[in-house]
Amino acid sequence: MTESAGTPADPDDSAAGEDQTPDGSPGAERGEQPAPETASENTPKDTPEAASKDAPEGTPGGETRSGSGAGGGSGSGSGSSVGAAPPPGSGPGPTLDITVKRKRHWLRWTALGASFVVLVAAGAGWWLYKKLDGNIKTDTSAAAELKTYEKERPASVVHDAENILLIGSDSRAGDNRKYGRDDGGSQRSDTTILLHLAANRKSATAMSIPRDLMADIPTCHKSDKTSSKPQFSQFNWAFELGGTACTIRTVEKMTGIRIDHYMVVDFNGFKDMVDAVNGVEICLKEPINDTAAHLELPAGRQKLDGEQALGYVRVRKSIGNGSDTERMDRQQQFLGALVNKVQSNGVLLNPTRLYPVLDAATKALTTDPGLDTLKDLYELVRGMRNVPTDKVQFLTVPRQPYAANRNRDELVQPDADKLFKQLRDDKPLAVVPADQLNGDDGKNTGHGEGSEHSQDEDSDSRSGEGSTDGESGATGAPGPSPTPTYSGNNAATDLCKQ
């Protein structure tokens, strides 16, 4: 009897095991025809895949569908199933692992090196900071003395405005002996300047007080623990009698201005600061030859080193009319040129030049406890660094020869009191060269008229001292008074163009 018509039975059917079909599914019962495989329906019989599929198990090229035979061995023929291990060398291997390890090794060393550099830089920065900070000397005795007389001192008027008294020591002791006779270590204030910083930090005014100005000096405690008597004497005697505290109290009594901080600068410190900025340029109208000041300079533009600069600001009798007035003018002009040099990019933006300036400045200073750290000084300088040089102004208190002794000075009133009030109330003022003031008679007096511009943007809303005639506006209300103008100069002045 013949079987029903159809495709002859596949040889695989008889050769395959009873428990498993080529695709790994449970075997069909005998006599049943397995369902056709979709994956092989369209596979040509003459392709390698077809040949492999049709070959009986155990024949060359044959394999189980699951990729493992009855004994658990894996197929290795060309028809290996999906999921089998890739051939050697076709994926990541030992070479890639070595590359990754080398890269990680290099990154670790780079991070370690960067950390070391940062650590060294931080350590060096801290060492430099501590060195500069340690250079500054603190005068605690003056602070204690001022505290004793606190009730007598004037109160601050304008918040955020600061008044700093700068004192140039005239001591001949120690390294300063070569500049004059050492009279037992006594000292007088060779130069005293009241520096007023506006609350908005848009201007700075430096007012010189002549050392020969006659002033009321209050009772002061002396170094030998005794007290001096109140006296009317030349101003620089206050420093010799009671040091910094006595000088501050004398200035406060004279001006009514509260002194917030003070700095004392000695000769050698001043020299070092000039050398640190690589000298300062000035212009001389006539040559100088002064053996007492150790100074010999030709006329014209030239750069002074520290030693020459010290002689220049101290020379008196061998230049001009020999007056202390002219000497103060030279001091102000030189300080203006020094400020201009320090504010230049060549110093502030160059660490190799800025550090020597800071080192020299901090070594030269003796300050009150409120300014005795590098941080305090930095905050002070930061507030001033954006002040335009033409707003850094220098002038001297209005004074004239003292009637009882022409070798001494006295204040010109009411001009002096008007100037003190301007500074005390933080109101603007202007300075121009003496020969530009109308009616100049040799006195440094303030004038309410003669200034064509305000000192800062707020001056339009402020009332200037020294003028009694206000300008009328459209409504008839009095307008702001002109900014009072005094004899002086600013840091932007070119001495050779005067």
Side-chain angles (χ1 to χ4, degrees):
M1 187 175 178
T2 61
E3 296 200 29
S4 57
T7 308
D10 195 339
D12 276 342
D13 291 345
S14 59
E18 293 181 358
D19 298 331
Q20 187 174 1
T21 62
D23 61 358
S25 60
E29 294 182 3
R30 290 187 181 275
E32 291 185 4
Q33 185 173 346
E37 296 182 26
T38 357
S40 61
E41 281 180 352
N42 300 322
T43 306
K45 293 295 182 179
D46 56 351
T47 62
E49 288 90 341
S52 175
K53 185 184 292 185
D54 293 340
E57 266 190 322
T59 62
E63 65 173 357
T64 60
R65 182 65 63 180
S66 65
S68 60
S74 61
S76 58
S78 61
S80 59
S81 64
V82 177
S90 62
T95 303
L96 182 58
D97 291 342
I98 292 174
T99 304
V100 171
K101 289 181 179 179
R102 285 178 178 174
K103 185 176 181 180
R104 290 176 179 172
H105 184 71
W106 179 83
L107 288 175
R108 282 196 298 268
W109 276 107
T110 301
L112 183 61
S115 301
F116 178 74
V117 170
V118 171
L119 183 63
V120 170
W126 178 249
W127 181 83
L128 291 175
Y129 178 89
K130 295 299 290 183
K131 182 178 184 298
L132 294 174
D133 194 65
N135 287 342
I136 306 169
K137 297 175 286 293
T138 308
D139 182 5
T140 56
S141 60
E145 177 82 356
L146 292 173
K147 189 175 181 180
T148 302
Y149 293 97
E150 179 61 37
K151 292 183 180 180
E152 299 179 7
R153 302 182 64 195
S156 297
V157 176
V158 179
H159 183 64
D160 289 336
E162 284 193 285
N163 298 293
I164 304 171
L165 197 65
L166 309 177
I167 302 173
S169 171
D170 196 24
S171 171
R172 298 300 195 277
D175 293 337
N176 295 332
R177 188 179 295 108
K178 66 179 180 179
Y179 301 110
R181 177 176 55 87
D182 181 3
D183 49 1
S186 65
Q187 55 184 359
R188 298 181 186 177
S189 52
D190 186 63
T191 301
T192 304
I193 296 175
L194 175 58
L195 176 63
H196 173 77
L197 305 179
N200 59 13
R201 295 303 190 266
K202 292 183 178 180
S203 65
T205 302
M207 181 187 73
S208 294
I209 302 175
R211 65 177 190 173
D212 293 335
L213 180 70
M214 299 303 294
D216 287 311
I217 301 175
T219 297
C220 298
H221 291 149
K222 299 190 294 185
S223 58
D224 61 1
K225 308 302 182 181
T226 62
S227 297
S228 64
K229 295 180 180 180
Q231 55 189 284
F232 184 69
S233 185
Q234 63 188 78
F235 172 73
N236 68 340
W237 272 96
F239 195 68
E240 182 170 2
L241 288 172
T244 303
C246 192
T247 300
I248 290 174
R249 292 178 57 227
T250 302
V251 172
E252 290 182 339
K253 185 178 180 65
M254 179 194 306
T255 64
I257 298 172
R258 171 83 176 207
I259 303 301
D260 301 300
H261 299 290
Y262 62 85
M263 300 180 185
V264 180
V265 185
D266 68 11
F267 287 163
N268 283 295
F270 176 81
K271 288 193 308 179
D272 292 341
M273 289 177 64
V274 174
D275 287 332
V277 298
N278 195 29
V280 175
E281 280 194 350
I282 64 165
C283 196
L284 298 177
K285 295 180 179 179
E286 57 185 79
I288 299 177
N289 188 358
D290 191 304
T291 55
H294 307 282
L295 186 65
E296 184 175 353
L297 297 171
R301 184 185 292 272
Q302 55 204 289
K303 181 188 290 187
L304 303 186
D305 60 24
E307 188 73 29
Q308 293 170 323
L310 180 59
Y312 176 72
V313 298
R314 298 192 66 253
V315 67
R316 177 174 179 177
K317 297 181 179 179
S318 62
I319 183 174
N321 60 15
S323 68
D324 195 43
T325 297
E326 282 197 354
R327 182 172 70 164
M328 283 187 298
D329 290 341
R330 288 192 300 274
Q331 291 174 349
Q332 293 170 2
Q333 291 168 357
F334 185 86
L335 289 176
L338 177 60
V339 169
N340 202 359
K341 184 68 176 286
V342 171
Q343 281 196 339
S344 69
N345 291 342
V347 175
L348 293 181
L349 299 183
N350 187 339
T352 60
R353 296 182 66 184
L354 179 59
Y355 175 77
V357 174
L358 294 176
D359 189 42
T362 51
K363 285 179 179 177
L365 295 178
T366 299
T367 74
D368 65 277
L371 281 181
D372 65 346
T373 69
L374 194 60
K375 180 179 179 295
D376 296 327
L377 292 177
Y378 171 75
E379 292 296 330
L380 176 66
V381 173
R382 186 176 67 170
M384 294 182 59
R385 65 184 176 184
N386 293 326
V387 178
T389 52
D390 63 334
K391 297 302 182 184
V392 180
Q393 304 178 121
F394 298 87
L395 74 160
T396 304
V397 295
R399 84 281 184 206
Q400 63 188 5
Y402 179 42
N405 184 347
R406 305 293 290 181
N407 293 322
R408 302 287 181 262
D409 288 329
E410 65 181 358
L411 295 176
V412 175
Q413 295 293 5
D415 301 313
D417 284 343
K418 289 179 179 179
L419 170 61
F420 301 152
K421 187 173 182 0
Q422 288 293 116
L423 298 177
R424 185 168 59 246
D425 296 341
D426 195 32
K427 292 184 177 179
L429 56 86
V431 297
V432 296
D435 55 6
Q436 294 183 24
L437 286 176
N438 295 328
D440 179 62
D441 57 358
K443 302 176 185 177
N444 186 8
T445 58
H447 298 269
E449 302 176 358
S451 177
E452 299 178 358
H453 62 280
S454 298
Q455 189 183 21
D456 59 32
E457 298 173 355
D458 298 330
S459 62
D460 289 341
S461 61
R462 296 176 176 179
S463 174
E465 292 292 326
S467 176
T468 57
D469 298 326
E471 299 177 1
S472 298
T475 61
S481 300
T483 302
T485 305
Y486 296 86
S487 171
N489 61 83
N490 60 60
T493 303
D494 188 339
L495 303 181
C496 288
K497 293 183 179 179
Q498 288 187 324

